mmCIF file of all heavy atoms in Angstrom:
data_model
loop_
_atom_site.group_PDB
_atom_site.id
_atom_site.type_symbol
_atom_site.label_atom_id
_atom_site.label_comp_id
_atom_site.label_asym_id
_atom_site.label_seq_id
_atom_site.Cartn_x
_atom_site.Cartn_y
_atom_site.Cartn_z
ATOM 1 N N LYS Q 65 102.344 132.136 96.958
ATOM 2 C CA LYS Q 65 101.354 132.752 96.075
ATOM 3 C C LYS Q 65 100.676 131.695 95.197
ATOM 4 O O LYS Q 65 99.459 131.745 94.990
ATOM 5 C CB LYS Q 65 102.003 133.837 95.214
ATOM 6 C CG LYS Q 65 100.999 134.573 94.333
ATOM 7 C CD LYS Q 65 101.623 135.786 93.642
ATOM 8 C CE LYS Q 65 102.491 135.388 92.485
ATOM 9 N NZ LYS Q 65 102.865 136.554 91.642
ATOM 10 N N LYS Q 66 101.438 130.763 94.686
ATOM 11 C CA LYS Q 66 100.892 129.712 93.822
ATOM 12 C C LYS Q 66 99.795 128.931 94.549
ATOM 13 O O LYS Q 66 98.693 128.750 94.037
ATOM 14 C CB LYS Q 66 102.004 128.768 93.373
ATOM 15 C CG LYS Q 66 101.533 127.582 92.535
ATOM 16 C CD LYS Q 66 102.707 126.716 92.128
ATOM 17 C CE LYS Q 66 102.250 125.486 91.362
ATOM 18 N NZ LYS Q 66 101.484 124.547 92.218
ATOM 19 N N ASP Q 67 100.090 128.466 95.764
ATOM 20 C CA ASP Q 67 99.116 127.682 96.517
ATOM 21 C C ASP Q 67 97.932 128.549 96.953
ATOM 22 O O ASP Q 67 96.783 128.077 96.957
ATOM 23 C CB ASP Q 67 99.777 127.056 97.747
ATOM 24 C CG ASP Q 67 100.583 125.821 97.401
ATOM 25 O OD1 ASP Q 67 100.654 125.467 96.206
ATOM 26 O OD2 ASP Q 67 101.157 125.212 98.323
ATOM 27 N N PHE Q 68 98.181 129.788 97.339
ATOM 28 C CA PHE Q 68 97.100 130.673 97.772
ATOM 29 C C PHE Q 68 96.123 130.927 96.616
ATOM 30 O O PHE Q 68 94.905 130.894 96.808
ATOM 31 C CB PHE Q 68 97.668 132.000 98.277
ATOM 32 C CG PHE Q 68 96.604 132.994 98.681
ATOM 33 C CD1 PHE Q 68 95.955 132.861 99.895
ATOM 34 C CD2 PHE Q 68 96.235 134.026 97.837
ATOM 35 C CE1 PHE Q 68 94.955 133.777 100.273
ATOM 36 C CE2 PHE Q 68 95.254 134.933 98.207
ATOM 37 C CZ PHE Q 68 94.610 134.803 99.423
ATOM 38 N N LEU Q 69 96.642 131.167 95.421
ATOM 39 C CA LEU Q 69 95.789 131.421 94.266
ATOM 40 C C LEU Q 69 94.978 130.188 93.885
ATOM 41 O O LEU Q 69 93.789 130.270 93.548
ATOM 42 C CB LEU Q 69 96.623 131.895 93.086
ATOM 43 C CG LEU Q 69 97.252 133.295 93.225
ATOM 44 C CD1 LEU Q 69 98.229 133.565 92.093
ATOM 45 C CD2 LEU Q 69 96.171 134.379 93.273
ATOM 46 N N GLU Q 70 95.619 129.010 93.956
ATOM 47 C CA GLU Q 70 94.895 127.766 93.665
ATOM 48 C C GLU Q 70 93.770 127.561 94.668
ATOM 49 O O GLU Q 70 92.669 127.133 94.309
ATOM 50 C CB GLU Q 70 95.868 126.586 93.698
ATOM 51 C CG GLU Q 70 96.795 126.511 92.491
ATOM 52 C CD GLU Q 70 97.701 125.293 92.539
ATOM 53 O OE1 GLU Q 70 97.606 124.512 93.519
ATOM 54 O OE2 GLU Q 70 98.499 125.120 91.603
ATOM 55 N N GLU Q 71 94.048 127.850 95.923
ATOM 56 C CA GLU Q 71 93.037 127.717 96.975
ATOM 57 C C GLU Q 71 91.871 128.660 96.719
ATOM 58 O O GLU Q 71 90.709 128.272 96.842
ATOM 59 C CB GLU Q 71 93.682 128.005 98.330
ATOM 60 C CG GLU Q 71 92.732 127.913 99.501
ATOM 61 C CD GLU Q 71 93.429 128.253 100.801
ATOM 62 O OE1 GLU Q 71 94.289 127.453 101.232
ATOM 63 O OE2 GLU Q 71 93.121 129.320 101.394
ATOM 64 N N GLN Q 72 92.166 129.907 96.375
ATOM 65 C CA GLN Q 72 91.128 130.889 96.137
ATOM 66 C C GLN Q 72 90.268 130.513 94.922
ATOM 67 O O GLN Q 72 89.049 130.667 94.937
ATOM 68 C CB GLN Q 72 91.734 132.278 95.938
ATOM 69 C CG GLN Q 72 92.251 132.910 97.210
ATOM 70 C CD GLN Q 72 91.149 133.051 98.257
ATOM 71 O OE1 GLN Q 72 90.107 133.646 98.010
ATOM 72 N NE2 GLN Q 72 91.378 132.473 99.429
ATOM 73 N N LYS Q 73 90.909 130.027 93.881
ATOM 74 C CA LYS Q 73 90.164 129.612 92.677
ATOM 75 C C LYS Q 73 89.242 128.444 93.000
ATOM 76 O O LYS Q 73 88.121 128.362 92.481
ATOM 77 C CB LYS Q 73 91.136 129.255 91.555
ATOM 78 C CG LYS Q 73 91.845 130.469 90.977
ATOM 79 C CD LYS Q 73 92.950 130.082 89.998
ATOM 80 C CE LYS Q 73 93.684 131.313 89.484
ATOM 81 N NZ LYS Q 73 94.843 130.982 88.610
ATOM 82 N N TYR Q 74 89.709 127.559 93.883
ATOM 83 C CA TYR Q 74 88.866 126.445 94.300
ATOM 84 C C TYR Q 74 87.659 126.942 95.083
ATOM 85 O O TYR Q 74 86.515 126.551 94.827
ATOM 86 C CB TYR Q 74 89.653 125.459 95.158
ATOM 87 C CG TYR Q 74 88.764 124.426 95.848
ATOM 88 C CD1 TYR Q 74 88.169 123.411 95.111
ATOM 89 C CD2 TYR Q 74 88.485 124.506 97.201
ATOM 90 C CE1 TYR Q 74 87.330 122.486 95.718
ATOM 91 C CE2 TYR Q 74 87.662 123.591 97.816
ATOM 92 C CZ TYR Q 74 87.082 122.577 97.071
ATOM 93 O OH TYR Q 74 86.243 121.678 97.676
ATOM 94 N N ILE Q 75 87.898 127.840 96.043
ATOM 95 C CA ILE Q 75 86.818 128.360 96.883
ATOM 96 C C ILE Q 75 85.755 129.069 96.053
ATOM 97 O O ILE Q 75 84.551 129.005 96.350
ATOM 98 C CB ILE Q 75 87.391 129.318 97.959
ATOM 99 C CG1 ILE Q 75 88.209 128.505 98.976
ATOM 100 C CG2 ILE Q 75 86.292 130.083 98.670
ATOM 101 C CD1 ILE Q 75 89.005 129.360 99.952
ATOM 102 N N LEU Q 76 86.186 129.723 94.977
ATOM 103 C CA LEU Q 76 85.262 130.523 94.167
ATOM 104 C C LEU Q 76 84.505 129.703 93.114
ATOM 105 O O LEU Q 76 83.632 130.218 92.432
ATOM 106 C CB LEU Q 76 86.025 131.652 93.476
ATOM 107 C CG LEU Q 76 86.584 132.733 94.424
ATOM 108 C CD1 LEU Q 76 87.501 133.677 93.668
ATOM 109 C CD2 LEU Q 76 85.450 133.499 95.098
#
Side-chain angles (χ1 to χ4, degrees):
K65 184 171 76 168
K66 177 179 177 293
D67 281 1
F68 178 78
L69 291 171
E70 286 182 359
E71 180 182 291
Q72 287 302 304
K73 289 172 183 175
Y74 169 72
I75 291 171
L76 293 171

